[in-house]
Amino acid sequence: MKHPRGGHVLVVDDDAELCELISLRLEARGMKVTTALTAARGLELLEQEEVDAVVLDLRLEGADGLEVMGQMRARSPDLPVVILTAHGTIETAVEAMQRGAYGFLTKPFQDHELVQKLLHATERSDLRRELADLRRIVAGTTPERLLGTSSAIAEVRDRIARVAPSEATVLILGESGTGKELAARQVHALSRRASGPFVAVNCGALPPELLESELFGHVKGAFTGATQTREGLFGAARGGTLFLDEIGEAALRVQVKLLRVLQERRFARVGSTVEEEADVRIVAATNRDLREEVEAKRFREDLYYRLAVLPIVMPPLRERLEDIPILATRHLEQAAARNGLRLPRLAPEVMDLLRSHSWPGNVRELVNAMEALVLLAPEDDIRFEHVARMFDPPTSSRAPADAVREEEQDWLSAEGELPTLREARDRFERRYLSEVLRRSKGNVAAAARTASRNRTDFYELLRRHGLSPAEFK
């Protein structure tokens, strides 16, 4: 949709008469204007509408205008914000500009001053949007944002906006499915390394030997199968960000090498004594309590303190239920577009049901639920019963223990020949592995410990039985 000639301006001021006056003045100059009388409403409108510039009162009722500006810029880092106040001082103006304000005007203001600032700001927004669109077309990707208007996710966005410009290591904590990788990508996008690569690796998905080689690379002949020299992820991420997901799963020997990189900013490929510069910023994430891992001697204390310089805690979905309507709508749209289907409408009572669910799988579970609803809902409207069936399928009325006993007995009670001992053992082994993965929520390291097997052997068992840890996350 083409924007108005002067762009779309959001005015956030608790003076209703002033909002109306500014609207009249700006609309007379060809601008589209949306107004909000509270900070919360202004932030909500930013999530719902595409805005080119903001006029923001410095002293809103119950809110600090500079803090609100920080939250706005965390959502949209390049958004021009013009601060408007009746309490102008040089110190306040300097602080506002240092925090990224596009302009600063003191009430009463001259019409032409405000209009000129906004015309320049919206013109810059148009150019930036065109450039971003071209980049997305070339890259074939569209950047995602941390959606929501809750205070919990607003704190995360504010934290990201504060830590991103530095070069410090960042540790992102939170349950599985809370969006830790998305937060890591936001840190990268707002950093001085944004033009460099973002490279991600799941430390729990690879055996220790393979993870070490994957991270640092290796030279030809370093080990059996190393037929050529290979650059690792530290090399691939040069000039950008390396995201170490599930860092709590890394073996102790890999932790030692990571500690050296963080201390010396240098590393050597496996099988080599020649050191290279580690020109990367490290962002790590885990769903574990690393302090407990340190006490249990499974994680190095010195590495923990090196990683936890700037921690960011991702809230579980049950602590940000007010964000569910925005998240559900957005992921429903994406699921429909991805599958080439018509976008169904969520009935009002569905939102109440979604908000009442505990969401143990967090945002990832919500994404999967929206995908299932798009594919399985028989009509254009998604109604209460469609979602209720998904959360409480008919088979759930049978006790889990009864279901397991029935599955265990099916081959014993069946007519015909009994399976061989090997076949019976394989069936039991597969069920056992599935149950261990289910209880550990797909965490291979935890599942391997429960089964008293090392991770290499455990991966081999999973491969033999055709099981994927991702199916249990």
Side-chain angles (χ1 to χ4, degrees), residues 33-34 55 112 154 177 235 247 282 301 334 355 357-358 394 426 439:
V33 183
T34 303
V55 176
H112 73 273
I247 186 67
I282 291 180
E301 184 175 21
Q334 291 180 336
R355 278 190 285 257
H357 185 55
S358 60
D426 284 346
R439 294 189 182 192

Side-chain angles (χ1 to χ4, degrees), residues 24-86:
L24 291 172
R25 291 173 175 175
L26 296 182
E27 286 171 353
R29 299 299 184 101
M31 299 183 189
K32 175 185 176 182
V33 183
T34 303
T35 62
L37 299 178
T38 65
R41 179 57 178 159
L43 292 169
E44 185 179 333
L45 286 168
L46 271 185
E47 292 289 346
Q48 298 171 355
E49 302 186 24
E50 191 171 33
V51 173
D52 297 297
V54 175
V55 176
L56 176 65
D57 188 19
L58 186 64
R59 294 193 179 181
L60 294 163
E61 185 175 348
D64 182 311
L66 292 182
E67 290 184 3
V68 175
M69 181 180 72
Q71 294 178 41
M72 289 179 168
R73 287 178 56 77
R75 286 168 164 79
S76 304
D78 296 321
L79 179 68
V81 179
V82 177
I83 296 292
L84 199 61
T85 179

Side-chain angles (χ1 to χ4, degrees), residues 10 14 40 61 78 129 234 261-262 270 276 305 350 401 440 473:
L10 172 63
D14 51 17
E61 185 175 348
D78 296 321
R129 186 181 294 109
F234 271 97
V261 174
L262 290 173
V270 177
E276 304 175 35
Y305 286 117
V350 166
S440 66
K473 288 186 180 292

Side-chain angles (χ1 to χ4, degrees), residues 236-420:
R238 189 174 290 110
T241 302
L242 178 59
F243 176 51
L244 303 176
D245 198 8
E246 301 302 343
I247 186 67
E249 309 292 336
L252 287 171
R253 79 187 214 191
V254 177
Q255 293 178 31
V256 171
K257 295 194 73 168
L258 286 174
L259 178 63
R260 175 163 173 74
V261 174
L262 290 173
Q263 289 175 332
E264 307 295 335
R265 312 301 299 178
R266 303 187 68 79
F267 69 96
R269 301 186 189 192
V270 177
S272 173
T273 58
V274 179
E275 291 195 329
E276 304 175 35
E277 181 185 1
D279 179 21
V280 300
R281 184 193 193 166
I282 291 180
V283 178
T286 181
N287 59 12
R288 291 190 179 195
D289 186 332
L290 288 187
R291 287 168 296 189
E292 289 184 2
E293 297 297 301
V294 168
E295 291 176 6
K297 307 299 183 184
R298 291 190 292 265
F299 201 85
R300 292 183 62 97
E301 184 175 21
D302 44 9
L303 178 58
Y304 168 70
Y305 286 117
R306 282 280 179 177
L307 290 172
V309 177
L310 295 171
I312 296 172
V313 181
M314 299 299 294
L317 189 53
R318 62 182 174 274
E319 292 180 6
R320 44 182 295 220
L321 295 178
E322 59 267 50
D323 292 337
I324 284 179
I326 292 174
L327 291 168
T329 302
R330 176 60 175 158
H331 290 298
L332 195 69
E333 291 172 351
Q334 291 180 336
R338 192 163 49 245
N339 292 284
L341 299 172
R342 290 183 61 185
L343 177 63
R345 188 181 70 89
L346 289 170
E349 64 270 17
V350 166
M351 286 301 179
D352 293 333
L353 181 56
L354 293 177
R355 278 190 285 257
S356 68
H357 185 55
S358 60
W359 299 108
N362 294 297
V363 178
R364 184 186 293 126
E365 182 185 357
L366 177 64
V367 172
N368 292 337
M370 293 304 103
E371 183 97 28
L373 287 172
V374 163
L375 295 174
L376 301 178
E379 302 169 13
D380 286 345
D381 280 1
I382 296 175
R383 301 194 304 275
F384 182 92
E385 57 267 27
H386 300 143
V387 182
R389 278 200 301 270
M390 184 174 62
F391 287 156
D392 188 22
T395 54
S396 66
S397 60
R398 183 174 60 178
D402 293 340
V404 171
R405 279 194 292 272
E406 181 179 324
E407 184 182 6
E408 289 174 347
Q409 295 296 324
D410 60 359
W411 57 271
L412 290 174
S413 58
E415 295 181 4
E417 294 183 0
L418 285 171
T420 64

